[in-house]
Amino acid sequence: MHRSVAAGGPSAADPEWFRTAVLYEVYVRSFGDANNDGTGDLDGITERLDYLAMLGVDGIWLTPFYPSPMADGGYDVADPRAVDPSFGDLAAFDRLVEAAHSHGLAVVVDVVPNHTSDRHEWFTAALAAGPGDPERDRYIFRPGKGADGAEPPNNWPSVFGGPAWHRAADGEWYLHLFAPEQPDLNWANPEVLADLEHTLRFWLDRGVDGFRIDVAHGMAKPADLPDLPEEVIEQQKRWAEMREREDLFAEHDADTPPSEGEGDAVVPSSDLDEAADPRWDNDAVHDIHRAVRRVLDRYPATMAVGEVWVRNDERLGRYVRPDELHQAFNFRLLMAKWNAADLRDAIEKSVASMAASGASPTWVLSNHDVPRHVTRYGGGAQGVRRARAGALLELALPGSAYLWQGDELGLADVDLPDEVLQDPAWERSGHTIRGRDGCRVPLPWSGDVPAFGFNAGTTSWLPQPPEWSALTAARQAEDPASMLSLYRTLLDLRREHPAISGGTVEWYGAPEGAMAFRRPGGLICAVNTGSTPVPLPPGEVLISSVPLAGGQLPSDAAVWLI
Ligand code: NOJ
């Protein structure tokens, strides 16, 4: 197989590099804006690779940069084998891959197989064709119910609010589990898989090291598209109410566990067994992942990580069977409250769900779909303090970690004015759900005023708050006590220290409110989420999230020892 860009990332040394890698999620719109139009672009990433190499990550995951009307931040793809002009072109992509590899960084790109944009040529053709025409069969068109077919074909809600069906001009309805501008593909049509295989090979031939597969638990739907049971609809409503109160993450407790039942954390849908929700985790999805794997197996040292919001551990484990995906995101840590018992439970279940298939666990504290963890952990000084401890926790765990851009700067969500909001959830919810823009504000790089070096100008597609002047990468790089310095040291230790090795965690007894575990290589990580100090476990301190004194681990702090 020809690979146009020589692999020089971590894959060069270890074909299974991803099992322990730290990957950094780059939200292309918000990372670096080389052409100063207010939106990030591929050249803006290439220019900033020194920073990522200095930070010490092993690779980058690029969110979609394909031609898109941006109805859902690029997850509405009009052409999966090209670059949106606002982000650059294929030559810019090739430059980025080559430069990343020469910095020793792997490149993982997003693919979006559950749906396309409504501007994809297939969908334009489907709309132009009539009911029953083969062009319609690439999507999920159905006649409506009721008099004149004026009712949607079933009761499925869309993840972004409202029904999951939109009526075309000729009266048929099409399915969109996300926005109406994101029609769902019909995975029963073999052309759909052939096209995904083509897309995978296209980017592999340009040198990418892997894929992040969007909504990897979606795609396959039962042929009869049965109604959702009433309990699931009720549960959806309860989650919608929680979102309105903006306490989605704060309110979970043992009897109302967070749901990974459906698509996005922005709209988790169900705390019931997801088998009750026919929209997700249909068994037929595994045939698709096997086909993806067959493509990847012809390109040595490449990988796929699925975005899999499935709560049942056994069912989650199925996505990473040896002939399916290499990894599945596991959002338990992200959904856990800041308390030792919840965090430990998340870790135990995550490790167990992957161990059954021999896959490596993945750890995520934040991404472009959820409030940043500084905010979820209480915001302000408390949120930052806990996020520092969270970094020690996440990076001590076996498997791979996926950092969200800005985690390393300790950014919190930004309170944006209504008029700049772009997330489709804002409009679709009738302005009750603000959506995910608050975590997507362009990064502050340098200087004292916006756009803080994101570009050479003063504005960006989402406005940065003036107080980010204290959090720029340039300022933090020179401050040994900064979040950035903490991440650099942790990543350095993780790469170099022999104690940070071995694929399991062995739990230590710990006082109420605290937890401690040991990696087989000898690293001990202790975290105190309680309000009073606890004694440090025995050992030599490698690093701590706050200064230590008197052999104690203070509240909201973590430590690594050997
Ligand atoms: C998951 C992506 O992370 C999210 O941003 C997007 O809105 C949905 N999938 C739909 O593609």
Side-chain angles (χ1 to χ4, degrees):
M1 235 10 95
H2 171 69
R3 304 193 67 187
S4 61
V5 182
S11 57
D14 173 11
E16 295 219 298
W17 57 274
F18 49 85
R19 289 183 68 93
T20 54
V22 178
L23 288 167
Y24 182 100
E25 179 185 357
V26 172
Y27 197 68
V28 179
R29 292 169 106 185
S30 298
F31 190 72
D33 175 16
N35 69 357
N36 299 311
D37 65 356
T39 297
D41 43 48
L42 297 177
D43 283 341
I45 304 167
T46 308
E47 285 172 359
R48 290 164 176 80
L49 290 171
D50 285 347
Y51 169 80
L52 295 174
M54 171 277 274
L55 176 61
V57 296
D58 301 304
I60 51 177
W61 147 31
L62 302 175
T63 55
F65 49 83
Y66 316 114
S68 166
M70 300 288 158
D72 181 22
Y75 284 93
D76 47 323
V77 178
D79 177 355
R81 297 182 286 275
V83 174
D84 192 278
S86 68
F87 297 137
D89 54 19
L90 283 171
F93 180 79
D94 292 343
R95 284 195 295 277
L96 170 54
V97 172
E98 191 169 3
H101 286 166
S102 68
H103 280 80
L105 298 169
V107 179
V108 170
V109 300
D110 230 307
V111 285
V112 187
N114 181 69
H115 44 265
T116 68
S117 160
D118 61 348
R119 307 286 172 81
H120 189 290
E121 62 178 14
W122 276 4
F123 196 70
T124 313
L127 285 184
D133 285 347
E135 287 83 358
R136 288 230 160 154
D137 189 53
R138 295 172 180 137
Y139 294 90
I140 303 180
F141 279 84
R142 291 287 187 279
K145 281 188 177 163
D148 305 326
E151 302 288 321
N154 71 16
N155 69 357
W156 292 7
S158 137
V159 167
F160 294 139
W165 294 92
H166 189 84
R167 200 168 193 196
D170 58 27
E172 273 209 322
W173 296 75
Y174 70 84
L175 179 71
H176 59 88
L177 291 183
F178 295 88
E181 297 86 356
Q182 293 167 295
D184 278 50
L185 286 161
N186 173 21
W187 275 88
N189 181 330
E191 270 187 89
V192 173
L193 174 60
D195 193 68
L196 176 64
E197 290 170 336
H198 182 185
T199 300
L200 297 174
R201 284 194 290 265
F202 179 88
W203 295 110
L204 287 163
D205 288 339
R206 299 196 98 87
V208 304
D209 302 282
F211 298 95
R212 179 264 190 189
I213 303 200
D214 190 62
V215 200
H217 59 309
M219 300 187 271
K221 282 106 191 166
D224 57 343
L225 304 177
D227 272 346
L228 250 75
E230 214 33 58
E231 321 82 92
V232 177
I233 299 279
E234 282 308 309
Q235 185 61 39
Q236 296 268 317
K237 286 191 195 137
R238 285 206 292 281
W239 280 103
E241 281 159 18
M242 286 178 74
R243 281 195 310 273
E244 261 173 71
R245 301 201 310 268
E246 294 194 344
D247 54 7
L248 188 58
F249 291 89
E251 290 287 299
H252 301 313
D253 54 31
D255 54 349
T256 56
S259 165
E260 296 96 301
E262 77 163 15
D264 295 46
V266 67
V267 196
S269 68
S270 164
D271 63 8
L272 304 168
D273 191 317
E274 47 277 343
D277 186 336
R279 295 173 300 169
W280 315 110
D281 194 28
N282 189 285
D283 284 340
V285 81
H286 296 287
D287 291 336
I288 303 169
H289 296 314
R290 288 190 190 98
V292 167
R293 181 60 178 258
R294 281 195 295 275
V295 173
L296 289 171
D297 279 347
R298 305 201 54 189
Y299 292 80
T302 59
M303 56 82 76
V305 55
E307 184 209 22
V308 184
W309 289 90
V310 167
R311 186 164 59 87
N312 177 289
D313 291 323
E314 191 273 325
R315 292 196 68 90
L316 176 63
R318 293 185 194 191
Y319 287 78
V320 292
R321 287 178 289 199
D323 59 346
E324 298 197 36
L325 303 177
H326 301 79
Q327 291 186 325
F329 281 142
N330 162 344
F331 296 112
R332 287 192 182 282
L333 193 65
L334 177 154
M335 299 298 280
K337 281 195 295 189
W338 182 250
N339 83 48
D342 274 24
L343 293 167
R344 176 174 168 163
D345 184 58
I347 295 165
E348 282 177 327
K349 289 190 169 136
S350 304
V351 169
S353 63
M354 295 297 111
S357 305
S360 49
T362 61
W363 307 103
V364 182
L365 283 176
S366 287
N367 64 27
H368 66 283
D369 288 329
V370 299
R372 288 182 175 278
H373 56 279
V374 166
T375 301
R376 298 199 317 270
Y377 291 163
Q382 182 188 55
V384 172
R385 183 179 169 102
R386 290 176 172 177
R388 289 177 68 90
L392 266 71
L393 172 61
E394 180 181 25
L395 294 172
L397 290 165
S400 51
Y402 285 79
L403 307 183
W404 164 226
Q405 65 177 40
D407 282 0
E408 81 283 12
L409 300 178
L411 300 184
D413 264 34
V414 179
D415 223 348
L416 292 164
D418 293 358
E419 61 277 11
V420 305
L421 297 181
Q422 304 209 6
D423 189 323
W426 174 239
E427 289 302 329
R428 296 274 303 164
S429 69
H431 296 180
T432 56
I433 297 167
R434 299 188 71 74
R436 302 158 290 178
D437 294 313
C439 73
R440 298 175 173 180
V441 174
L443 292 188
W445 290 94
S446 58
D448 298 316
V449 290
F452 297 120
F454 169 66
N455 56 31
T458 55
T459 56
S460 50
W461 72 281
L462 290 173
Q464 301 157 310
E467 59 273 18
W468 275 9
S469 59
L471 297 177
T472 61
R475 182 157 296 189
Q476 294 200 41
E478 295 194 15
D479 173 3
S482 68
M483 187 72 91
L484 179 57
S485 296
L486 178 69
Y487 268 86
R488 285 176 72 180
T489 311
L490 292 171
L491 290 168
D492 204 32
L493 284 168
R494 188 178 152 113
R495 219 177 20 252
E496 304 296 338
H497 206 293
I500 308 169
S501 59
T504 53
V505 292
E506 177 196 327
W507 293 98
Y508 277 21
E512 176 82 21
M515 67 159 151
F517 61 86
R518 181 180 181 278
R519 294 278 298 279
L523 177 79
I524 296 165
C525 175
V527 184
N528 181 10
T529 62
S531 51
T532 50
V534 298
L536 284 177
E540 177 197 330
V541 172
L542 270 184
I543 186 167
S544 54
S545 62
V546 294
L548 301 177
Q552 303 274 303
L553 181 61
S555 166
D556 289 336
V559 61
W560 286 4
L561 310 107
I562 46 170

